[in-house]
Each structure stands twice: as structure tokens, then as C-alpha cells.
């Protein structure tokens, strides 16, 4: 009998298991892949960041090194770049396996199915079966790609994010369906390596859900980098053009005009992800799901069946690895009788392009729709000493604070290393800090983070360097 069985060892699942073991529980995990780490470590966050880093270095060497007095002519070895990516993935998944073993957690590689509130059936990779008895079960099975009607993903020419991480050659023409985080990140990888990239988006903007001013600025920057955007359009089909290329049928989202056809060598379908909740035995066990297929949980992450919990992409909220990790820790602590908690108002989101885009808290659009009085302070990287000397001046920092209390409600950054800088804002907001608190905190000079301080100063109309 286990105290806890966790189904899925992505960031949410393995973190939940480790925290539970730290708290003295006997824990087992069930993972369908041969390796731990889930989508994130195997075919998501980690390999995409490896290719983003490598392709950015290639792009810098091709276009920017000469201005620093470094004269090189880089040659792309795509096979070696993929080996670099795979080595990084292996290091991370091996690290998870080590941590599970270190914490004396039993690992079972196979598909898990809930038989009842206290039993998980496991079908191993070799076809054999077993059952695990548990006092509590956590579902952490993550998400899967959303397909598009009329578009068949073969992971060769028409790919999901998984296939876009493993092209054997650089596509001359890449059509990306969807202008969200995944589409823009992977589009950036292949644009830097030589692809002509066209992004087709159903909405009239990129990065839906992020601050609209940030999105508009980011689109202009990407267009300067060579991206083309077809907004307010949808893809209705992808056909073989007969010469090895593809014909992508595109029509206006409004449906009030004739469509067109785009030529492509590859198509990336990046229209979002859906909870992976099929074949888990949820209906037979009585676990309730909502209309979007997400598992319904209460404030303690418990499902409609006592003793069965769910975290991460399978429940409501942003599909982010760090959100799942925090939920995993919270569940483990709740099971141990502690006050596990996740602050959903302070979950940062990052787009790992160049420049990066990072956000935490409310956007201006949300504050306006809520009718909340706020002040905004903005500071451009063109006025930041470190950014100017490094010639990485695209973007800005924006701080949004309550007009009466000065409490910071949201921070949005587009610029170099935005994903690292947003942590400062998250810490401040976690403790209910004000723009004044941020403005009066001494920041090292010269650093990019001085732009965060200056944006906080600007919220009080007293920025120094603009």
C-alpha cells in the first residue's frame, strides 16, 4: 500500500512525488514514456529552449558578431545542433530519474488507469499488468496537441511542436498555424536558421492573453526579423502540391472574402493544447470533467472522487510547467496535513524568443475591463545603459500599480533576458509590494534590471533616465 501514487512524471508529477517523499510518504509514480519528465523535458520546454539558444547563437554569429569586431562565417550543422539538443534533454531526464531514486520513490513505466478511488492499474510497456493500492492518487498526465480540421499531422511535413523539434533539414518555407507562444518560439528557431516564416492566426493579434501593447510591439520586432503575419485568417486545409511542397488553404476568419493559398515546405500546427485525460478510467471511476475536458477539482485539488487529486494541464488555469510544479507541492503538503497553497495571481509567463517577452499579474486590458483605477510606468531599453552598450535595445518594461494603494498589479517586459527579470516582479507581488517599494530598492549598475526600477519610478512620474 502506497500513501500516494502519481500518474505522470512531468514537472507537476515528479515534483509532487518528491515533495510527498520528503514529507515521509511512501510514493510511487507511473509514467507512460520510457523516460521521466513528461512533455516538458522530452518534447517541449527543454528541447525547444536548447534550439532557441543554439539558433540565436547562429543568428548572432551570422548577423551581429561583425559589429563587435568578431569576423566569422558560421556554417550550420543541423545534425550536430540536434545532438546538442538531445544531450541537454538526456541530462535533464536522467536528473529526474536520479531525484526519484534518491527520494526512494518507486517508478513504474507503463500506462496508468484508475480502477477506483484507491487503486491504479498499470499496463507495462512489455504488455504485462499490475495494480497499485494507494491512499491517494494524483493525476498529472499533462496535455496533448490540438489538431485542426482539414489538417493531418504526420510529424514529417505537417508537424506539431514535437515534429518541429526534429526537422532533418531547414524548411525553405514554413507556415505556422497559430501566433501563440509555441508557434512564435519554434517559428523563431527556423527563421534564424534560414526559413521564410509565415504565421497564420485566427485572431487579429498575436499572443492572445498577453498585454496588447506588448503584443503589438513584439509583432513589429518579429516582422523586422523576417516574420510575415496573416492575422484574422484561418487554415482550412493542407494538400500535397505534387512537387514535394504543400499548398495551405487560408480564408479570412470572418468568412466574408475569398481565400488564398500559401506555398510551404513544412507546416507547424500550433493552435494550442488540450488536457490529456483519455483512457485514464475517469468516467468509470466517477471523476467529473468540464466541457473542455479538464478535470474538475476543489480548492484542495481533490476531484469529485475522494482520494483522487489532479494538477497541472489537466485542470483549469494556464498550461505552464511552473504552475504544475507549485500545484504538485501544494497537493503533497495538503496530504501531509499542511496548508498547501498556490497564488494564481502571481504566475509568470514567458516567451523565449529574442527578445524575450515576460508577464506576471494583470494586463492593462484586464484592468480597463474591470474598471479598476491604475497607474502605468514604462521605461524603454533604449534608455538603459547596459542594453545600449550591448545593442539589445528592443522593448520596454511596464509596471501597473493600483491608483490608490500603489500595490503592483502587473509587470510586463519585452526585452533581453525578460524571463529572468520577471522573477523580481513576482517576488515583489507575492509579498504585496508597491511600485514605491520597487523604485526605492537599490539595483546594481549597469544592469538590465535597472529598467524595472525605472519603470516603477515612472509609475510615480519620477523616472530619472527618460
Amino acid at each position: 500500500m502506497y500513501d500516494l501514487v502519481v500518474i505522470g512524471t512531468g514537472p507537476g508529477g515528479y515534483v509532487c512525488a518528491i515533495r510527498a517523499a520528503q514529507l515521509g510518504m511512501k510514493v510511487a509514480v507511473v509514467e507512460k514514456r520510457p523516460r521521466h519528465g513528461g512533455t516538458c523535458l522530452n518534447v517541449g520546454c527543454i528541447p525547444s529552449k536548447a534550439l532557441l539558444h543554439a539558433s540565436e547563437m547562429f543568428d548572432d554569429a551570422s548577423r551581429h558578431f561583425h559589429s563587435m569586431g568578431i569576423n566569422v562565417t558560421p556554417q550550420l550543422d543541423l545534425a550536430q545542433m540536434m545532438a546538442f539538443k538531445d544531450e541537454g534533454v538526456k541530462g535533464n531526464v536522467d536528473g529526474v530519474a536520479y531525484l526519484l531514486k534518491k527520494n526512494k520513490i518507486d517508478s513504474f513505466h507503463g500506462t496508468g488507469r484508475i480502477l477506483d478511488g484507491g487503486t491504479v492499474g498499470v499496463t507495462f510497456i512489455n504488455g504485462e499488468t499490475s495494480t497499485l493500492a494507494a491512499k491517494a492518487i494524483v493525476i498529472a498526465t499533462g496535455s496533448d496537441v490540438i489538431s485542426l480540421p482539414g489538417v493531418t499531422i504526420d510529424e514529417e511535413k505537417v508537424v506539431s511542436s514535437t515534429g518541429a523539434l526534429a526537422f532533418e533539414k531547414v524548411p525553405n518555407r514554413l507556415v505556422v498555424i497559430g501566433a501563440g507562444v509555441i508557434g512564435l518560439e519554434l517559428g523563431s528557431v527556423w527563421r534564424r536558421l534560414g526559413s521564410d516564416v509565415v504565421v497564420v492566426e485566427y485572431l487579429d493579434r498575436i499572443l492572445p492573453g498577453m498585454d496588447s501593447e506588448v503584443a503589438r510591439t513584439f509583432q513589429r520586432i518579429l516582422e523586422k526579423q523576417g516574420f510575415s503575419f496573416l492575422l484574422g485568417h484561418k487554415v482550412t486545409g493542407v494538400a500535397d502540391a505534387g512537387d514535394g511542397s504543400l499548398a495551405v488553404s487560408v480564408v479570412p476568419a470572418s468568412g466574408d472574402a475569398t481565400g488564398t493559398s500559401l506555398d510551404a515546405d513544412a507546416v507547424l500546427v500550433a493552435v494550442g493544447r488540450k488536457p490529456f485525460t483519455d483512457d485514464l478510467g475517469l468516467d468509470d471511476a466517477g471523476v467529473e470533467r468540464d466541457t473542455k475536458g479538464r478535470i474538475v477539482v476543489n480548492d484542495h485539488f481533490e476531484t469529485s472522487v475522494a482520494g483522487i487529486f489532479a494538477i497541472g494541464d489537466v485542470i483549469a488555469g494556464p498550461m505552464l510547467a511552473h504552475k504544475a510544479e507549485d500545484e504538485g507541492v501544494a497537493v503533497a503538503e495538503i496530504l501531509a496535513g499542511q496548508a498547501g497553497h498556490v497564488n494564481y495571481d502571481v504566475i509568470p509567463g514567458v516567451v523565449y524568443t529574442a527578445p524575450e517577452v515576460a508577464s506576471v499579474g494583470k494586463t492593462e486590458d484586464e484592468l480597463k475591463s474591470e474598471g479598476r483605477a491604475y497607474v502605468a510606468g514604462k521605461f524603454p531599453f533604449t534608455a538603459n545603459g547596459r542594453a545600449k552598450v550591448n545593442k539589445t535595445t528592443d522593448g520596454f518594461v511596464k509596471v501597473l500599480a493600483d491608483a490608490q494603494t500603489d500595490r503592483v498589479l502587473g509587470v510586463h517586459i519585452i526585452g533581453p533576458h525578460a524571463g529572468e527579470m520577471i522573477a523580481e516582479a513576482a517576488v515583489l507581488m507575492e509579498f504585496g509590494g508597491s511600485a514605491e517599494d520597487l523604485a526605492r530598492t537599490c539595483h546594481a549598475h549597469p544592469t538590465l534590471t535597472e529598467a524595472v526600477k525605472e519603470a516603477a519610478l515612472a509609475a510615480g512620474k519620477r523616472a530619472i533616465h527618460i
Side-chain angles (χ1 to χ4, degrees):
M1 169 71 74
Y2 289 98
D3 295 307
L4 174 64
V5 171
V6 180
I7 306 176
T9 59
Y14 83 74
V15 167
C16 179
I18 290 171
R19 183 64 183 131
Q22 290 175 342
L23 292 167
M25 298 182 209
K26 183 180 180 183
V27 183
V29 295
V30 180
E31 171 55 52
K32 67 179 181 180
R33 286 186 171 90
R35 304 192 301 186
H36 295 295
T39 294
C40 179
L41 272 67
N42 286 278
V43 290
C45 322
I46 295 301
S48 65
K49 302 313 165 282
L51 290 184
L52 281 160
H53 173 69
S55 63
E56 185 177 350
M57 295 300 98
F58 178 80
D59 191 55
D60 279 345
S62 301
R63 301 198 302 151
H64 304 305
F65 276 12
H66 67 90
S67 67
M68 294 181 276
I70 305 171
N71 295 315
V72 297
T73 304
Q75 300 294 318
L76 176 62
D77 183 342
L78 186 57
Q80 180 57 40
M81 187 175 288
M82 291 298 174
F84 167 81
K85 173 206 67 175
D86 293 342
E87 182 181 359
V89 169
K90 184 178 185 303
N92 277 275
V93 298
D94 287 352
V96 172
Y98 164 76
L99 290 172
L100 294 173
K101 184 177 180 181
K102 174 188 174 184
N103 287 278
K104 298 179 172 56
I105 296 167
D106 293 336
S107 294
F108 298 90
H109 287 277
T111 56
R113 185 178 179 85
I114 296 173
L115 304 180
D116 55 48
T119 311
V120 174
V122 182
T123 302
F124 297 104
I125 294 174
N126 63 8
E128 296 179 1
T129 61
S130 182
T131 58
L132 307 175
K135 297 177 183 176
I137 299 167
V138 169
I139 302 167
T141 47
S143 59
D144 200 359
V145 297
I146 294 177
S147 58
L148 199 62
V151 180
T152 301
I153 297 174
D154 60 17
E155 299 297 12
E156 293 181 3
K157 287 188 175 183
V158 182
V159 300
S160 68
S161 55
T162 300
L165 293 167
F167 283 135
E168 293 182 355
K169 64 179 182 178
V170 178
N172 290 326
R173 300 160 299 177
L174 174 66
V175 170
V176 178
I177 309 174
V181 175
I182 294 173
L184 298 182
E185 285 187 351
L186 293 176
S188 289
V189 168
W190 297 106
R191 199 285 309 162
R192 294 168 189 163
L193 299 180
S195 294
D196 290 329
V197 177
V198 178
V199 180
V200 182
E201 168 58 45
Y202 184 85
L203 300 177
D204 62 357
R205 55 163 291 176
I206 70 171
L207 292 181
M210 280 206 168
D211 186 271
S212 58
E213 182 184 14
V214 169
R216 289 191 300 269
T217 300
F218 189 42
Q219 182 179 336
R220 289 194 294 269
I221 291 171
L222 291 176
E223 286 171 341
K224 289 180 182 177
Q225 293 178 358
F227 274 72
S228 295
F229 290 93
L230 196 56
L231 304 180
H233 284 72
K234 62 181 179 181
V235 172
T236 58
V238 177
D240 189 334
D243 57 357
S245 64
L246 302 170
V248 182
S249 300
V250 180
V251 299
S254 61
D256 58 3
T258 57
T260 187
S261 180
L262 302 175
D263 295 329
D265 297 292
V267 174
L268 165 60
V269 181
V271 294
R273 299 183 65 84
K274 60 184 178 182
F276 187 88
T277 55
D278 294 335
D279 301 321
L280 293 176
L282 300 185
D283 294 336
D284 292 341
V287 175
E288 182 184 353
R289 286 182 280 182
D290 65 17
T291 56
K292 295 183 178 180
R294 301 173 301 192
I295 296 173
V296 177
V297 296
N298 62 19
D299 291 342
H300 290 163
F301 305 99
E302 193 168 23
T303 70
S304 54
V305 177
I308 300 178
F309 300 78
I311 61 172
D313 290 1
V314 297
I315 68 173
M319 290 183 170
L320 297 170
H322 43 284
K323 176 254 198 187
E325 289 182 4
D326 279 8
E327 290 172 341
V329 170
V331 167
E333 292 178 350
I334 288 169
L335 291 174
Q338 299 182 8
H341 173 69
V342 177
N343 183 356
Y344 290 102
D345 291 329
V346 187
I347 296 181
V350 182
V351 187
Y352 295 90
T353 46
E356 292 182 347
V357 180
S359 175
V360 64
K362 298 285 189 178
T363 66
E364 276 203 80
D365 313 82
E366 290 171 331
L367 294 174
K368 289 175 181 176
S369 67
E370 293 171 5
R372 188 162 185 176
Y374 70 94
V375 294
K378 194 167 82 171
F379 188 81
F381 281 104
T382 52
N384 174 266
R386 182 73 181 275
K388 287 172 73 172
V389 76
N390 288 352
K391 299 189 185 302
T392 54
T393 55
D394 283 334
F396 57 84
V397 179
K398 179 161 62 174
V399 172
L400 305 172
D402 187 277
Q404 281 74 46
T405 67
D406 196 41
R407 182 171 181 167
V408 173
L409 305 173
V411 175
H412 307 274
I413 307 174
I414 176 169
H417 304 292
E420 306 295 335
M421 288 191 285
I422 202 67
E424 174 181 14
V427 171
L428 177 90
M429 293 172 64
E430 190 65 44
F431 288 91
S434 66
E436 179 79 4
D437 292 328
L438 189 53
R440 289 195 177 276
T441 300
C442 186
H443 287 62
H445 174 78
T447 60
L448 297 169
T449 58
E450 288 178 286
V452 179
K453 174 178 179 174
E454 288 272 8
L457 285 166
K461 301 187 185 305
R462 54 194 182 95
I464 300 298
H465 291 94
I466 52 173

